[in-house]
């Protein structure tokens, strides 16, 4: 795919052109009022991301919007098609998400592994164009390389923009990206493309942690002694799961109002006791340690065993926001120490 | 592509199964001819019963694929959706999403083997489907032994069919109740005790056991005593679930998704999983 070069005014002009044709979302400041996508606001004027790690909220809100309507119908028996659930027309209009870090881009690719055959996820993927921004100065809580990612990684992104001194290299990575890029752009010099590729190769992390975890026995990891002390401080607040770009669990609820109903899905969290509660009152993961262990085992062992990579991109949001400082990097270390 | 849209169905018949009225069997007919023709399931699979405005519940399919034209679901009234379902009438519209899960391996691993079906309480539903399937393909299986127990005679499911099976000479049927009851001249005793007394041979055999966890736990020792091993015992797990296709996360038992990888697995496979079911 093509690589273009912009100076700052040129990039601003290109973004302004985008703003005229398609809704563009960009990271909102902490506490800033947002619309349907918490943490992401409609871009009204050109804003380039600064340094540091990813935005406060992950891009999963664009792939699993809340609420997402699965089906609707009239609840009146005598209506035509009463009680006959039907799917709404798919949302098809394009949307651009601007300022996405490579970790978030990669999360979409990882979520695509289980969701490859899911209609709603694929529809959302088709309509969403991710414009990434390389992460030249990661935050102290960033660890994408330890999960196999790269601050210059392209996985899951449609366009990646990398700062180069005062200029920007714009890599068009997919057909979706090419459609947004338009025409008449200035190709980047070959030497600069080579330099960027070299930088990427040097910065790409390793899958060593993942491979070592896959080689360990599931039961031994499950029975490790550290889960108890680790989980003691957990409040089961669920913030880790809601912020995590690769936590994709959901709940389905029927919402009935004024003779109509809609079946919707929302994000759910395996940190909550209700998540597994049976109608009988029996709860297979009624204890906190079971829930904490389940989340980490899913991300670091069970998902890799089934799909290959870790279900973690090293964005560090859970590390930053956990009120009791549970740190997934330490959990990886603890798991790797299990014989 | 995976979608969450149920097939529309009409309730064709409702049977109150048990004396406490808490278990009803719903006979459902898919509304669209094409979907009725295309429907196919394996005994042991389940489906989501969908009530618009109430929600969905995962329920084992009680009918055999050899019973054409309709589906049966025997439902215990327990929570929000099952309570709403119990209030529905013949002719009402609802939905079915499925079939889901793997089912019993009736077409491969169980073929040619002696089959022992052990059920307790209202966990008999998918085993009824399996038994009917096996009777319709009788030559594919060896000796079929059924051990089924409930608390009282009035709590037994499918009583008319039990009488029919008892009259057949190609099924070895043992129906038991927990305590002596007036008018009952059959077996009395818990399922594990009766299983020990029947003592089915493990040779070229497979056991399909569904029931309360406590029943399964106590049924194993008498079987193990006469040589049964965990890899010839099939169980069916249950967990809270939403999507039914291995995505929403709720039903996982370690790496195993009950909805997609199960619900059926051998006891040997289950013993390698965390006890989170």
């Amino acid at each position: 795919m093509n690589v273009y070069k912009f100076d700052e005014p040129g990039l601003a002009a290109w973004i302004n052109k985008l703003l005229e044709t398609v809704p563009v979302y960009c990271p909102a400041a902490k506490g800033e009022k947002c619309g349907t996508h918490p943490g992401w606001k409609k871009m009204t004027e050109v804003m380039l991301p600064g340094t540091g790690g990813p935005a406060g909220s992950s891009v999963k809100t664009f792939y699993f919007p809340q609420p997402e309507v699965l089906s609707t119908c009239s609840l009146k028996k005598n209506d035509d098609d009463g009680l006959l659930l039907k799917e709404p027309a798919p949302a098809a209009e394009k949307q651009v998400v601007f300022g996405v870090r490579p970790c978030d881009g990669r999360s979409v690719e990882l979520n695509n592994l289980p969701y490859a055959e899911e209609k709603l996820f694929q529809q959302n993927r088709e309509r969403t164009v991710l414009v990434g921004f390389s992460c030249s100065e990661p935050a102290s809580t960033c660890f994408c390389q330890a999960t196999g990612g790269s601050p210059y990684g392209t996985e899951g992104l449609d366009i990646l923009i990398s700062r180069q001194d005062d200029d920007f290299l714009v890599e068009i990575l997919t057909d979706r990206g090419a459609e947004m890029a338009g025409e008449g752009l200035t190709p980047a010099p070959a030497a600069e493309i080579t330099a960027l590729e070299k930088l990427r190769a040097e910065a790409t992390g390793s899958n060593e942690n993942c491979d070592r975890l896959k080689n360990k026995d599931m039961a031994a990891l499950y029975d490790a002694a550290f889960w108890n002390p680790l989980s003691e401080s957990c409040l089961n607040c669920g913030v880790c799961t809601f912020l995590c770009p690769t936590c994709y669990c959901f709940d389905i609820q029927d919402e009935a109002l004024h003779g109509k109903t809609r079946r919707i899905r929302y994000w759910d969290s395996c940190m909550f006791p209700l998540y597994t509660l049976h109608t009988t009152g029996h709860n297979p993961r009624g204890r906190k340690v079971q829930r904490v262990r389940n989340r980490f085992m899913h991300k670091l062992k069970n998902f890799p065993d089934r799909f290959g990579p870790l279900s973690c991109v090293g964005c560090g949001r859970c590390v930053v926001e956990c009120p009791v400082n549970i740190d997934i990097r330490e959990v990886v270390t603890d798991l790797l120490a299990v014989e | 592509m995976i979608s969450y849209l149920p097939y529309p169905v009409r309730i064709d018949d409702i049977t109150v199964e048990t004396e406490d009225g808490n278990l009803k069997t719903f006979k459902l007919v898919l509304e669209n001819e094409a979907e009725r023709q295309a429907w196919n399931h394996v005994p042991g699979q389940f489906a989501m019963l969908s009530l618009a405005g109430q929600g969905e519940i995962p329920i084992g399919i009680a009918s055999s694929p050899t019973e054409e034209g309709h589906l049966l679901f025997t439902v215990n009234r327990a929570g929000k959706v099952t309570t709403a379902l119990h209030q529905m009438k013949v002719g009402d519209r609802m939905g079915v999403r499925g079939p889901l899960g793997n089912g019993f391996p009736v077409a491969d691993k169980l073929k040619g083997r002696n089959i022992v079906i052990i059920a307790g309480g209202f966990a008999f539903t998918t085993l009824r489907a399996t038994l009917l399937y096996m009777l319709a393909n009788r030559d594919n299986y060896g000796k079929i032994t059924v051990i089924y127990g409930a608390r009282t005679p009035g709590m037994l499911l499918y009583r008319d069919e039990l009488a029919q099976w008892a009259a057949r000479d190609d099924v070895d049927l043992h129906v038991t109740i927990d305590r002596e009851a007036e008018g009952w001249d059959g077996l009395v005793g818990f399922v594990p005790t009766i299983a020990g007394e029947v003592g089915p041979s493990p040779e070229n055999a497979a056991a399909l056991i569904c029931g309360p966890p406590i029943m399964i736990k106590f049924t194993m020792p008498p079987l193990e005593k006469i040589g049964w091993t965990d890899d010839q015992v099939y169980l069916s797990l249950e967990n809270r679930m939403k999507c039914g296709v291995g995505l929403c996360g709720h039903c996982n038992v370690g790496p195993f998704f009950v909805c997609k990888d199960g619900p059926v697995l051998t006891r040997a496979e289950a013993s390698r999983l965390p006890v989170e079911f």
Side-chain angles (χ1 to χ4, degrees):
Chain A
M1 284 281 175
N2 297 326
V3 185
Y4 302 106
K5 184 172 181 177
F6 289 123
D7 56 12
E8 193 153 342
L11 184 65
W14 179 73
I15 297 168
N16 272 321
K17 219 169 110 191
L18 265 189
L19 292 180
E20 285 167 17
T21 54
V22 62
V24 180
Y25 295 87
C26 65
K30 199 163 187 175
E32 195 175 357
K33 205 170 171 344
C34 294
T36 45
H37 299 293
W40 298 85
K41 61 177 182 182
K42 278 259 180 74
M43 195 192 248
T44 49
E45 54 186 20
V46 175
M47 288 173 58
L48 300 184
T51 55
S57 300
S58 86
V59 295
K60 75 174 170 183
T61 176
F62 297 98
Y63 298 86
F64 303 103
Q66 300 191 86
E68 189 158 36
V69 179
L70 305 180
S71 51
T72 60
C73 73
S74 159
L75 286 174
K76 291 177 184 140
K77 264 192 199 180
N78 297 329
D79 276 6
D80 283 349
D81 291 344
L83 297 172
L84 183 69
L85 287 165
K86 289 181 180 171
E87 289 177 331
E93 65 282 7
K94 290 272 193 231
Q95 55 187 9
V96 172
V97 189
F98 187 86
V100 178
R101 293 297 190 201
C103 53
D104 268 6
R106 185 155 180 257
S107 75
V108 178
E109 207 61 69
L110 295 181
N111 292 344
N112 190 60
L113 294 170
Y115 281 85
E117 295 295 322
E118 209 225 33
K119 197 160 74 174
L120 288 168
F121 182 87
Q122 295 304 328
Q123 281 168 2
N124 291 330
R125 184 143 206 220
E126 197 43 54
R127 65 187 284 244
T128 307
V129 182
L130 292 188
V131 180
F133 239 81
S134 288
C135 205
S136 51
E137 287 177 54
S140 64
T141 46
C142 286
F143 58 103
C144 64
Q145 288 149 318
T147 65
S150 161
Y152 296 88
T154 56
E155 275 180 273
L157 296 171
D158 299 295
I159 296 175
L160 178 61
I161 304 176
S162 303
R163 269 179 200 274
Q164 204 191 43
D165 302 323
D166 293 332
D167 294 326
F168 297 89
L169 291 188
V170 178
E171 294 172 272
I172 309 300
L173 303 164
T174 64
D175 290 340
R176 275 194 295 271
E179 204 181 308
M180 289 296 148
E183 287 165 4
L185 306 176
T186 314
E192 295 184 17
I193 299 173
T194 313
L196 177 62
E197 275 165 6
K198 186 161 172 272
L199 194 60
R200 175 173 298 132
E202 282 166 8
T204 297
S206 105
N207 289 317
E208 192 198 336
N209 287 334
C210 181
D211 293 340
R212 284 175 65 196
L213 287 167
K214 280 198 276 192
N215 284 332
K216 295 207 177 263
D217 177 45
M218 191 276 289
L221 298 180
Y222 183 88
D223 291 331
F226 72 87
W227 294 117
N228 272 311
L230 174 80
S231 65
E232 271 165 11
S233 59
C234 176
L235 308 173
N236 275 175
C237 69
V239 70
C240 49
T241 54
F242 289 112
L243 291 173
C244 179
T246 57
C247 271
Y248 51 70
C249 289
F250 61 84
D251 189 18
I252 299 176
Q253 292 289 337
D254 282 25
E255 198 175 64
L257 202 65
H258 305 313
K260 287 184 186 150
T261 189
R262 55 179 199 165
R263 184 161 288 166
I264 49 180
R265 73 163 163 190
Y266 276 94
W267 301 352
D268 204 348
S269 170
C270 61
M271 289 292 105
F272 301 154
L274 195 63
Y275 185 81
T276 44
L277 182 67
H278 289 200
T279 312
T280 56
H282 169 63
N283 197 337
R285 286 200 289 274
R287 289 183 301 130
K288 189 167 67 175
V289 59
Q290 295 173 313
R291 298 192 287 276
V292 171
R293 173 173 51 197
N294 180 70
R295 174 161 188 275
F296 288 120
M297 284 292 282
H298 171 77
K299 296 197 157 299
L300 305 174
K301 177 64 181 163
N302 300 334
F303 186 96
D305 279 351
R306 187 176 286 240
F307 295 110
L310 298 171
S311 180
C312 172
V313 292
C315 71
R317 291 185 179 96
C318 58
V319 180
V320 173
E321 296 295 341
C322 177
V324 296
N325 298 326
I326 291 177
D327 190 329
I328 190 170
R329 296 170 296 186
E330 292 170 12
V331 178
V332 172
T333 308
D334 286 342
L335 285 171
L336 288 173
V338 173
E339 288 306 319
Chain B
M1 276 283 171
I2 294 169
S3 130
Y4 301 100
L5 193 67
Y7 301 127
V9 298
R10 295 275 180 188
I11 300 177
D12 194 53
D13 194 24
I14 301 174
T15 310
V16 180
E17 292 284 350
T18 54
E19 63 190 359
D20 66 355
N22 249 357
L23 280 130
K24 288 183 181 175
T25 296
F26 296 85
K27 182 179 176 189
L28 306 180
V29 176
L30 291 160
E31 284 190 45
N32 300 328
E33 173 69 24
E35 289 164 3
R36 207 158 50 234
Q37 295 294 333
W39 179 278
N40 193 19
H41 73 275
V42 177
Q45 281 191 299
F46 68 96
M48 287 287 176
L49 299 188
S50 161
L51 270 64
Q54 299 290 340
E56 291 186 317
I57 42 167
I59 302 287
I61 304 170
S63 52
S64 160
T66 52
E67 297 172 81
E68 282 172 28
H70 67 265
L71 299 168
L72 297 176
F73 294 88
T74 303
V75 182
N76 183 34
R77 187 167 59 84
K80 180 187 167 191
V81 180
T82 53
T83 300
L85 177 57
H86 268 243
Q87 288 162 355
M88 290 181 66
K89 306 272 183 294
V90 170
D92 285 352
R93 173 184 266 162
M94 48 182 280
V96 168
R97 186 158 67 81
L100 302 167
N102 58 356
F104 292 106
V106 288
D108 45 87
K109 283 183 186 154
L110 297 180
K111 236 174 163 175
R113 290 167 84 173
N114 298 319
I115 304 295
V116 181
I117 288 173
I118 302 178
F122 46 86
F124 192 41
T125 61
T126 57
L127 291 177
R128 174 203 178 269
T130 310
L131 179 59
L132 281 183
Y133 177 89
M134 289 178 168
L135 292 178
N137 299 277
R138 191 64 191 85
D139 294 344
N140 286 342
Y141 307 95
K143 185 181 180 185
I144 297 179
T145 307
V146 179
I147 300 165
Y148 173 42
R151 269 176 288 154
T152 64
M155 289 303 288
L156 290 164
L157 300 178
Y158 318 127
R159 272 168 278 170
D160 293 346
E161 287 176 315
L162 289 175
Q164 291 167 26
W165 297 329
R168 293 180 70 131
D169 57 8
D170 58 354
V171 181
D172 184 20
L173 182 71
H174 307 268
V175 179
T176 179
I177 59 168
D178 288 355
R179 275 175 294 277
E180 298 278 358
E182 212 170 302
W184 177 258
D185 55 4
L187 295 169
V188 176
F190 293 120
V191 166
T193 314
I194 303 300
E197 285 170 14
V198 173
S201 162
E203 202 170 327
N204 186 34
L208 319 180
I209 308 183
C210 290
I214 191 84
M215 181 205 93
I216 297 172
K217 183 180 168 188
F218 285 103
T219 300
M220 284 314 294
L223 293 183
E224 282 162 353
K225 216 163 119 184
I226 52 174
W228 285 81
T229 54
D230 281 352
D231 59 348
Q232 57 188 146
V233 173
Y234 289 83
L235 308 174
S236 183
L237 297 186
E238 290 183 337
N239 252 356
R240 185 185 182 112
M241 52 180 75
K242 289 286 178 175
C243 74
V245 290
L247 294 176
C248 79
H250 291 76
C251 70
N252 81 300
V253 180
F256 183 90
F257 285 94
V258 173
C259 68
K260 192 181 172 186
D261 306 321
V264 172
L265 77 180
T266 65
R267 194 159 188 271
E269 289 163 336
S271 69
R272 290 192 284 272
L273 297 176
V275 190
E276 291 185 357
F277 48 86

